């Protein structure tokens, strides 16, 4: 296990290097002079002398590669530079926002899994029942819903019509409920569909028929064998969905004004505050890579045969 | 005299049913495409004309879907935006499909260092959250429909490339390809006349399944204000413009949002029916 994990972690290094290079190049290619942007976003008149000084101070007159290495070394030490807007360290802003996004992502993933897996298993057993058909229509619709439609619909129903929740989500359990629900609905749809398909696929396997023939109780087959065997692909779809979730959280956070990384990134894009955008993209991408790693490691925990190759 | 109906096996009947489904959804999708293409010529009102006297009017016989915050007719904007929203999606799918297939086939057919390099590159693109990267790119490039398409296109070709590559690798090893090589066919000839026709089927199935997702990505970006520049009607942008008036004019938000939902659902139904038919043929 340790050897496998180590090998996987070493494989991560080139990916992380490539991601930093990509994020840095993206900002490098961005039209506009960061020094000019910094000066104008802080207000005040910009003279050519001031601009040249600022450029030198920010190190913009150095070659691309030197700047890149410099940036990566700083980032590795937790220094993401300072925001153009208020000169505050980006790392502090990111860390604060990361907590909010993390809470939202964790809550919605957990909530979706808890709801979707029982639904998926039940619809697989009661295939073509009325319940199965209703769920099929609902999950199909949930799958095709744009993120913002769900969020706006929830907001319209619960904040404007019923006035049960505040329109602007506060950082409390009550405030978190609607954003979590908005992120969960598409996930529940996908998880339930996947679970249903996997469980049905397992149920038609020969070992299930064999166990039935030997008189093993239905419940034991289902929970001890079928669910365990479907776990691998359920984890795959959950980890794939986290990628979508991170993207979707940008929209949801914007709508509910949830102070997470998504809103931070959008506000910084509008304000052309590039160090913050750069930091946000880097953090979210790194997070994604780490989740991928955890997914791979969890396959090993579930199915020991995987380590053989 | 009894006339006996030709007996079909159960699997044949199933296939015919699946085929019928594909045809029905295909017709529906084609109709949507044709309607959205010609809709801008049959608008009840000018989609860009603002009217201070008609601001945020509820749906009525005059304005079926009401008016938005600037007094513009929502139905007219919806119809005018259909072409932009749907054709941007289709164009993006076609371009990603084309680029992905070309790259994937070349990688899969030749293999080697180029293949390694490209596949590592797609690994990296796939390990980054797609929408986040797209937001960053679109944010940098500035809001326009083409920039949105570029921002999403950067990652969307990779899934086609991986699929095409895996098929090309499989086909490359088949005996008839070796036979072709022995008769002296060039690589280009083999790829165009033998490899591509054998993988285009599954690739097309994948593309029809991707239409819905692509449309949602474009809508998401333009909802965030990174799509078309304001007065141009486009569904995601319409929702974005009207969402601050959700309380006063919910119709201006939910009409375009529902249009996206319905269109994505139709494309998904179509994609799924094509996929079902394809997998039943394989079995």
């Amino acid at each position: 296990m340790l050897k496998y994990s180590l090998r996987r972690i070493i494989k991560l290094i080139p990916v992380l290097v490539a991601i930093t290079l990509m994020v840095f190049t993206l900002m490098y290619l961005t039209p506009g002079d960061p020094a000019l942007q910094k000066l104008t976003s802080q207000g005040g008149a910009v003279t050519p002398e001031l601009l040249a000084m600022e450029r030198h101070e920010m190190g913009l007159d150095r070659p691309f590669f030197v700047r890149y290495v410099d940036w990566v070394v700083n980032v590795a030490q937790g220094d993401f530079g300072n925001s153009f807007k208020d000169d505050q360290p980006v790392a502090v802003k990111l860390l604060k926002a990361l907590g909010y996004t993390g809470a939202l992502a964790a809550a919605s993933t957990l909530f979706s899994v808890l709801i979707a897996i029982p639904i998926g298993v039940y619809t697989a057993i009661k295939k073509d029942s009325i319940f199965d058909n209703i769920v099929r229509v609902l999950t199909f619709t949930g799958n095709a819903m744009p993120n913002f439609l769900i969020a706006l619909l929830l907001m319209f129903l619960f904040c404007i019509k019923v006035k049960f929740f505040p329109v602007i989500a506060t950082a409390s359990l009550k405030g978190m409920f609607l954003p979590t629900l908005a992120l969960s609905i598409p996930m529940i749809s996908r998880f339930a569909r996947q679970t249903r398909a996997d469980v049905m696929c397992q149920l038609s396997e020969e070992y299930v028929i064999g166990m039935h023939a030997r008189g093993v109780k239905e419940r034991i087959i289902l929970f001890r064998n079928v669910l365990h065997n479907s776990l691998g692909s359920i984890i795959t779809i959950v980890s794939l969905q986290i990628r979508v979730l991170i993207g979707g959280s940008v929209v949801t956070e914007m709508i509910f004004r949830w102070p997470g990384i998504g809103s931070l990134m959008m506000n910084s894009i509008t304000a052309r505050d590039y160090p913050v955008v750069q930091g946000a993209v880097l953090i979210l991408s790194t997070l994604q890579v780490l989740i991928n790693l955890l997914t791979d490691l969890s396959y090993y925990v579930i199915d020991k045969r995987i380590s053989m190759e | 005299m009894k006339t006996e109906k030709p007996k079909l096996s159960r699997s044949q009947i199933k296939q015919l049913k699946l085929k019928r489904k594909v045809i029905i959804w295909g017709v529906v999708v084609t109709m949507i495409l044709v309607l959205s293409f010609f809709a801008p010529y049959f608008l009840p009102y000018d989609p860009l004309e603002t009217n201070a006297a008609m601001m945020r009017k509820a749906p009525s016989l005059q304005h079926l879907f009401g008016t938005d915050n600037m007094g513009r007719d929502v139905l007219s904007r919806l119809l005018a935006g259909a072409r932009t929203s749907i054709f941007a999606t289709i164009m993006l799918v076609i371009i990603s499909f084309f680029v992905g297939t070309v790259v994937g086939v070349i990688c899969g057919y030749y293999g080697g260092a180029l293949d390694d390099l490209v596949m590592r590159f797609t690994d990296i693109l796939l390990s980054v959250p797609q929408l986040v990267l797209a937001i960053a790119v679109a944010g940098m490039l500035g809001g326009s429909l083409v920039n949105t398409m570029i921002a999403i296109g950067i990652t969307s070709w990779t899934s086609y490339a991986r699929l095409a590559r895996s098929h090309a690798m499989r086909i490359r090893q088949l005996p008839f390809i070796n036979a072709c090589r022995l008769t002296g066919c060039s690589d280009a000839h083999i790829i165009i006349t033998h490899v591509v026709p054998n993988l285009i089927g599954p690739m097309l199935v994948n593309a029809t399944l991707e239409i819905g997702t692509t449309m949602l990505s474009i809508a998401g970006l333009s909802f965030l204000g990174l799509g078309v520049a304001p007065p141009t009607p486009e569904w995601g942008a319409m929702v974005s413009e009207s969402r601050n008036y959700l309380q006063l004019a919910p119709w201006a938000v939910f009409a375009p949002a529902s249009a996206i939902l319905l269109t994505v659902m139709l494309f998904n139904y179509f994609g799924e029916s094509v996929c079902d038919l394809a997998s039943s043929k394989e079995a």
Side-chain angles (χ1 to χ4, degrees):
Chain A
M1 175 75 191
L2 199 71
K3 218 171 141 194
Y4 176 72
S5 315
L6 268 176
R7 216 173 47 219
R8 285 284 327 183
I9 291 169
I10 291 168
K11 264 190 184 168
L12 221 65
I13 295 169
V15 177
L16 287 177
V17 170
I19 288 177
T20 52
L21 195 60
M22 195 163 72
V23 172
F24 187 78
T25 315
L26 196 64
M27 296 299 144
Y28 185 80
L29 293 177
T30 300
D33 183 352
L36 185 67
Q37 261 141 25
K38 185 175 176 181
L39 289 175
T40 44
S41 66
Q42 285 170 348
V46 183
T47 59
E49 294 82 34
L50 200 63
L51 191 65
M53 224 168 73
E54 187 65 41
R55 281 183 65 86
H56 185 69
E57 208 167 281
M58 291 168 78
L60 295 176
D61 45 1
R62 294 173 304 159
F64 172 81
F65 202 67
V66 177
R67 281 173 59 192
Y68 167 69
V69 171
D70 196 41
W71 178 71
V72 169
V73 169
N74 282 336
V75 164
Q77 292 169 342
D79 177 12
F80 286 77
N82 288 350
S83 156
F84 286 167
K85 212 166 63 184
D86 46 17
D87 225 16
Q88 294 290 311
V90 173
V92 176
K93 289 188 174 198
L94 287 177
L95 212 60
K96 215 166 108 194
L98 192 61
Y100 283 103
T101 301
L104 200 58
S108 50
T109 309
L110 196 69
F111 183 67
S112 315
V113 168
L114 286 180
I115 301 236
I117 290 184
I119 293 181
V121 173
Y122 189 76
T123 47
I125 310 170
K126 307 270 178 199
K127 193 185 163 223
D128 293 327
S129 64
I130 300 173
F131 183 71
D132 182 31
N133 281 320
I134 295 173
V135 168
R136 191 183 304 154
V137 173
L138 285 181
T139 53
F140 202 91
T141 316
N143 217 356
M145 268 202 179
N147 256 313
F148 52 80
L149 174 57
I150 301 171
L152 290 170
L153 205 59
L154 288 173
M155 186 179 247
F156 184 68
L157 291 177
F158 292 109
C159 305
I160 295 171
K161 284 282 153 190
V162 186
K163 293 202 172 67
F164 189 66
F165 290 101
V167 174
I168 295 171
T170 46
S172 64
L173 274 181
K174 198 177 171 188
M176 225 176 118
F177 185 75
L178 285 186
T180 306
L181 195 60
L183 282 174
S184 301
I185 288 173
M187 279 206 287
I188 292 174
S189 309
R190 274 161 219 154
F191 294 167
R193 279 164 75 91
Q194 184 70 31
T195 311
R196 178 179 181 272
D198 288 335
V199 170
M200 262 168 44
C201 182
Q202 288 289 332
L203 283 176
S204 59
E205 292 277 328
E206 276 169 358
Y207 77 88
V208 174
I209 303 168
M211 287 181 90
H212 270 300
R214 273 180 281 135
V216 182
K217 276 196 191 120
E218 177 86 44
R219 194 181 299 164
I220 292 179
I221 303 178
L222 200 64
F223 287 103
R224 196 170 292 168
N225 300 88
V226 168
L227 214 53
H228 187 243
N229 284 337
S230 330
L231 215 54
S233 58
I234 293 174
I235 288 182
T236 308
I237 185 101
V238 170
S239 78
L240 281 177
Q241 274 303 300
I242 286 177
R243 202 169 154 231
V244 182
L245 173 77
I246 292 176
S249 68
V250 180
V251 171
T252 312
E253 284 176 9
M254 280 291 284
I255 292 176
F256 290 104
R257 312 236 165 105
W258 184 256
I261 292 217
S263 344
L264 182 67
M265 187 171 140
M266 277 319 295
N267 293 335
S268 307
I269 282 181
T270 335
R272 310 228 148 244
D273 193 351
Y274 293 136
V276 181
V277 182
Q278 206 170 22
V281 177
L282 188 63
I283 285 280
L284 291 178
S285 307
T286 313
L287 210 64
Q288 176 67 51
V289 172
L290 291 179
I291 289 169
N292 292 349
L293 174 74
L294 282 181
T295 314
D296 282 356
L297 293 182
S298 73
Y299 291 147
Y300 174 82
V301 175
I302 297 169
D303 189 346
K304 297 277 188 296
R305 283 170 301 181
I306 287 172
S307 67
M308 293 306 185
E309 23 152 325
Chain B
M1 221 170 84
K2 265 197 218 163
T3 50
E4 262 188 38
K5 276 188 183 171
K7 275 210 172 145
L8 293 169
S9 70
R10 194 175 285 176
S11 66
Q12 274 173 315
I13 293 177
K14 202 180 158 202
Q15 260 211 15
L16 280 177
K17 274 187 179 163
L18 288 174
K19 213 175 248 176
R20 191 175 62 189
K21 247 186 176 171
V22 172
I23 292 170
I24 293 173
W25 288 117
V27 169
V28 172
V29 163
T30 317
M31 263 164 57
I32 295 284
L33 287 180
V34 171
L35 282 178
S36 69
F37 193 78
F38 289 107
Y41 302 110
F42 300 98
L43 300 178
Y45 295 90
D46 180 355
L48 298 180
E49 196 191 273
T50 57
N51 184 349
M54 288 300 291
M55 263 161 52
R56 300 190 290 268
K57 286 277 181 280
S60 62
L61 277 180
Q62 263 183 328
H63 297 278
L64 276 180
F65 289 160
T67 60
D68 70 2
N69 186 49
M70 293 166 125
R72 296 173 297 199
D73 181 47
V74 173
L75 178 64
S76 303
R77 287 180 69 71
L78 203 67
L79 292 174
R83 187 151 76 174
T84 324
S85 299
I86 294 175
F87 278 83
T89 309
I90 305 276
M91 279 299 288
L92 185 55
V93 170
I94 291 174
I95 294 170
S96 320
F97 176 83
F98 184 74
V99 173
T101 309
V102 169
V103 173
V105 165
I106 290 173
C107 283
Y109 186 78
Y110 289 105
L114 176 80
D115 178 39
D116 273 348
L117 193 74
V118 175
M119 283 305 120
R120 286 299 81 75
F121 184 60
T122 59
D123 272 345
I124 290 157
L125 283 180
L126 284 171
S127 70
V128 173
Q130 194 174 12
L131 190 63
V132 172
L133 188 65
I135 290 170
V137 173
M140 298 302 123
L141 294 173
S144 85
L145 196 62
V146 176
N147 288 348
T148 311
M149 286 164 70
I150 293 174
I152 298 169
I154 284 179
T155 48
S156 67
W157 65 275
T158 52
S159 61
Y160 298 98
R162 302 198 129 221
L163 192 64
R165 173 179 176 266
S166 67
H167 282 294
M169 277 171 71
R170 179 180 54 82
I171 294 166
R172 178 182 69 177
Q173 287 161 350
L174 295 177
F176 79 94
I177 298 285
N178 272 333
C180 278
R181 278 213 199 96
L182 286 176
T183 57
C185 292
S186 67
D187 281 343
H189 178 81
I190 295 176
I191 288 177
I192 292 167
T193 56
H194 298 295
V195 177
V196 172
N198 276 306
L199 55 75
I200 207 81
M203 291 294 296
L204 280 174
V205 172
N206 185 53
T208 53
L209 283 172
E210 287 281 316
I211 297 175
T213 334
T214 310
M215 185 154 194
L216 287 180
S217 304
I218 293 184
L221 278 192
S222 57
F223 172 76
L224 290 172
L226 300 170
V228 294
T232 318
E234 195 271 342
W235 293 347
M238 284 170 69
V239 178
S240 170
E241 282 167 44
S242 310
R243 81 176 166 106
N244 286 335
Y245 311 97
L246 179 64
Q247 196 169 357
L248 302 167
W251 47 87
V253 172
F254 292 122
S258 315
I260 298 172
L261 171 66
L262 280 178
T263 318
V264 172
M265 275 176 84
L266 287 180
F267 278 120
N268 283 354
Y269 270 121
F270 176 59
E272 217 155 85
S273 68
V274 172
C275 187
D276 284 346
L277 181 67
S279 56
S280 83
K281 271 187 181 160
E282 264 169 38

